[in-house]
Amino acid sequence: MTGQMEDRIAGIYADGWSRIVATMIRFTGGDWDLAEECTQDAFAKALQRWPESGVPDQPLAWLTTTARHRAIDRMRRASTEAAKLREVAAMDLEPSPYLSDSEIPDERLELMFTCCHPSLSLDAQVALTLRSLAGMSTVEIARAFLVPERTMGQRLFRAKQKVAHAGIPFRVPPAHLLPDRLPAVLHVLYLLFNEGYGDPRKARLCREAIRLARVVTVLMPDEPEAHGMLALMLLHDARRPARVDAAGELVTLAEQDRSLWDQAQIAEGATICEQALRRRRAGPFQLQAAIAACHATAPVAAQTDWPQIVGLYTQLARIAPSPIVDLNRAVAIGMANGPEAALPLVDAIIETGQLNDYYLLHATRADLLRRAGRTQEATDSYRAALDLAPTDAERRFLRNRLQLR
């Protein structure tokens, strides 16, 4: 198979997997395993045939029809009465061989809300989203989250069993429930992004999160928070090439080589954020994207509009209060007004005990103390942060700070 053909099929897989799985879940009456298996079989058959015959004019229709025929064949072989009933239902829905891509129902939104149903644990939501929407294998998901394949397989099995036995509906929630349910979908996608952003070994999670965020904005064009989340991902991801130097060491935002930033992606993210905010329904993702845009559009670190960032964090703290927001607001105040203005705010967070296991709390305090000339206190806080840092790169960064204090 030529590299060009491989890339073409890989692109169809990335864009079509979740759409076909969603269609097949509906087609099989909610049998997730059968839907995924038949979709996988359809792609396997495409890999065998398309290199010789060429990619069909309607590849999604070809794959969907192939998957449906596979499902019908599986149902015919089943011996239970329930399977026979499902076979009859499936036969009624058997597609025409002349089905076009435009006639394939797009039920990915239903799939997203089902994967992120509040009855499922967060771990289950994440696993189902990666398997059913991103098309990642159990091995790939396990590797991404650094857990054994068996553990991830059990997590997926339990999640699918919960969907089946708890009667979780395969649908977009009614309008009156949508404001409460959409944040769960956005939270899971942004969790995936963050998981990939902090560790180069998990970079695929970032790419999948951005791709799925684009899907949400297409399927829900009037939801400004969905656009805000996409903008936030794009703006953060645009800085990825500069976050680590040639030796694999972390580079702070202020010290990053901004010529390495993806300016086209920054422009896209800033535009999406601005358009979302114009709807005058500012939510947490939109405000965070606006903060990220302040950083990303500053020509040099010294020209960052810190007073505006303080104002945005103040607004964010009103609508989505959390100790993390308070910590980030303190950092912004420290940059706008000096470290002594921020230290009491950080100490107040420490007194609550809510973030004492969060290494960035101690690293932030250490940096403020260092800038204030309180060297010994800074050393103690850097050591506290070092004990809690989750990755090798972050630990090396903190050790270097200790040596440079």
Side-chain angles (χ1 to χ4, degrees), residues 45-175:
K45 188 169 288 188
L47 284 170
Q48 292 175 348
R49 294 190 180 182
W50 291 359
E52 293 184 4
S53 64
V55 176
D57 292 337
Q58 306 287 341
L60 287 184
W62 190 99
L63 290 161
T64 302
T65 299
T66 301
R68 287 182 173 182
H69 281 301
R70 175 64 172 159
I72 292 169
D73 184 57
R74 284 285 307 277
M75 292 173 189
R76 283 176 176 152
R77 295 181 185 181
S79 58
T80 66
E81 188 63 29
K84 291 178 180 177
L85 290 173
R86 281 167 44 199
E87 174 194 341
V88 172
M91 290 292 289
D92 290 340
L93 294 170
E94 187 170 349
S96 161
Y98 303 106
L99 189 70
S100 70
D101 283 2
S102 62
E103 293 173 309
I104 303 295
D106 194 340
E107 295 170 315
R108 287 174 293 181
L109 202 56
E110 287 89 340
L111 184 55
M112 285 185 183
F113 277 101
T114 304
C115 288
C116 300
H117 194 277
S119 296
L120 300 172
S121 69
L122 183 58
D123 282 348
Q125 292 176 10
V126 169
L128 273 184
T129 297
L130 286 175
R131 177 67 190 133
S132 301
L133 282 161
M136 292 175 66
S137 69
T138 303
V139 173
E140 290 174 314
I141 302 170
R143 188 182 302 127
F145 282 88
L146 306 180
V147 300
E149 179 184 353
R150 182 177 180 182
T151 299
M152 186 55 68
Q154 291 172 340
R155 191 176 297 174
L156 282 163
F157 175 78
R158 287 194 297 267
K160 291 174 182 176
Q161 290 293 102
K162 183 69 176 287
V163 170
H165 296 312
I168 294 174
F170 186 77
R171 63 172 184 175
V172 176

Side-chain angles (χ1 to χ4, degrees), residues 224-254:
E225 270 295 84
H227 293 268
M229 181 189 66
L230 174 59
L232 181 59
M233 290 181 181
L234 291 171
L235 289 163
H236 281 323
D237 189 64
R239 295 191 291 105
R240 179 188 296 279
R243 291 185 70 241
V244 179
D245 64 18
E249 304 299 333
L250 286 178
V251 182
T252 64
L253 177 61

Side-chain angles (χ1 to χ4, degrees), residues 210-233:
I210 290 173
R211 187 178 64 79
L212 293 174
R214 290 189 187 278
V215 171
V216 176
T217 61
V218 169
L219 298 176
M220 305 187 76
D222 297 324
E223 289 295 336
E225 270 295 84
H227 293 268
M229 181 189 66
L230 174 59
L232 181 59
M233 290 181 181

